[in-house]
Amino acid sequence: MAYVPRWVGGTLCYMSFGLGGLLSSLTILPVLRFWPGTRQQRIERVQRAVHIMFKGFVRMMSWVGLISVKYQDISRLSNAKGMIVTANHPTLIDVVVLISLMPNAGCIVKQGLWRNPFLRGVVSCAGYIPNRGAELLLEDCKSVLERGTNLIIFPEGTRTVIGEKINPFARGAANITLRTRSDLLPVFLKTNTVGFSKQQKWYQLPRRTIGIDIEIGETLPYLRYDAAAGGDAKMARQMTRDLENYYKQQLDRYL
């Protein structure tokens, strides 16, 4: 019986997220976007607004018992500027949780979200990057990082398969790190139960509260690889292997 109010609360959270995205796209976000100021100032205003909305959404999910978020030394994340922030991807809400902790965060979003009526206004106004091909993507990432916005990337590419610690890492994060000459800040999302996974339907809400422990790793400077012998492709492969092994070691300590 205890699951019934959690399921009802979770369903209301889903509805609130969709309707909130649609309403904010039609009301406050356009106002912030077109309020006088430079393009950079307008984007920063919208990103901070999204940060505040996501923080409220995380509190709502915590209140209904869906999740419980714990973290330490979060100032390293909230005060970061112009860094690539990587994270493992155990749940659907990972990006929401991360943006709720970072007032100046951007991310790469799939093209489908730009056609989603509930989220199109949010991703457009906040200056998020559409995944539109390697060269254009790299130019967009460089522009975002140069203006001090942090870029969230999930090297797994999709949510972690149930039963695995992580999926094999793709080289995208390493390539962007090296070619934009930006430092990388790894974040570890450690969960105590399965929930909001890709193998589950949206209505299959977790039967127990998902505890999400957030740990901030040691900064991985691009200069460590930039100074090494070898071309970009070789260094990207090495950096990806190092990063994947680092995540496996840290997650092994928890599981």
Side-chain angles (χ1 to χ4, degrees), residues 19-73:
L19 291 175
L22 179 60
L23 291 175
S24 62
S25 298
L26 297 174
T27 55
I28 187 167
L29 294 185
V31 172
L32 293 175
R33 185 181 185 184
F34 294 111
W35 196 265
T38 65
R39 181 174 182 272
Q40 173 66 12
Q41 290 172 331
R42 294 196 298 268
I43 290 176
E44 287 177 354
R45 284 197 293 260
V46 173
Q47 287 179 347
R48 184 168 290 276
V50 173
H51 159 72
I52 293 170
M53 288 188 290
F54 280 9
K55 181 179 288 189
F57 185 66
V58 168
R59 287 178 179 172
M60 181 188 298
M61 289 190 292
S62 301
W63 184 74
V64 301
L66 285 178
I67 62 173
S68 174
V69 182
K70 297 179 181 178
Y71 46 78
Q72 294 179 351
D73 196 21

Side-chain angles (χ1 to χ4, degrees), residues 86-152:
T86 60
N88 55 310
H89 201 358
T91 77
L92 175 65
I93 59 173
D94 297 332
V95 70
V96 175
V97 172
L98 288 174
I99 291 178
S100 75
L101 300 172
M102 304 174 67
N104 62 331
C107 55
I108 300 170
V109 298
K110 57 186 178 182
Q111 289 279 21
L113 289 183
W114 292 82
R115 298 186 292 271
N116 185 310
F118 295 100
L119 298 177
R120 178 175 57 198
V122 176
V123 298
S124 174
C125 293
Y128 294 166
I129 301 172
N131 192 351
R132 54 180 184 153
E135 290 304 318
L136 290 174
L137 176 64
L138 187 63
E139 291 177 10
D140 290 340
C141 291
K142 186 175 182 180
S143 175
V144 165
L145 291 163
E146 285 178 347
R147 65 174 181 248
T149 298
N150 300 300
L151 185 58
I152 299 172

Side-chain angles (χ1 to χ4, degrees), residues 144-179:
V144 165
L145 291 163
E146 285 178 347
R147 65 174 181 248
T149 298
N150 300 300
L151 185 58
I152 299 172
I153 299 179
F154 297 102
E156 294 176 85
T158 187
R159 278 169 278 168
T160 309
V161 174
I162 294 176
E164 300 292 336
K165 293 183 180 66
I166 53 172
N167 300 327
F169 278 14
R171 292 198 296 269
N175 276 317
I176 294 172
T177 298
L178 294 173
R179 297 183 65 179

Side-chain angles (χ1 to χ4, degrees), residues 73-81 83 185-186 216-219:
D73 196 21
I74 205 64
S75 60
R76 292 184 55 217
L77 191 60
S78 58
N79 294 332
K81 290 187 180 297
M83 299 187 72
L185 183 64
I216 316 302
E218 295 299 323
T219 301

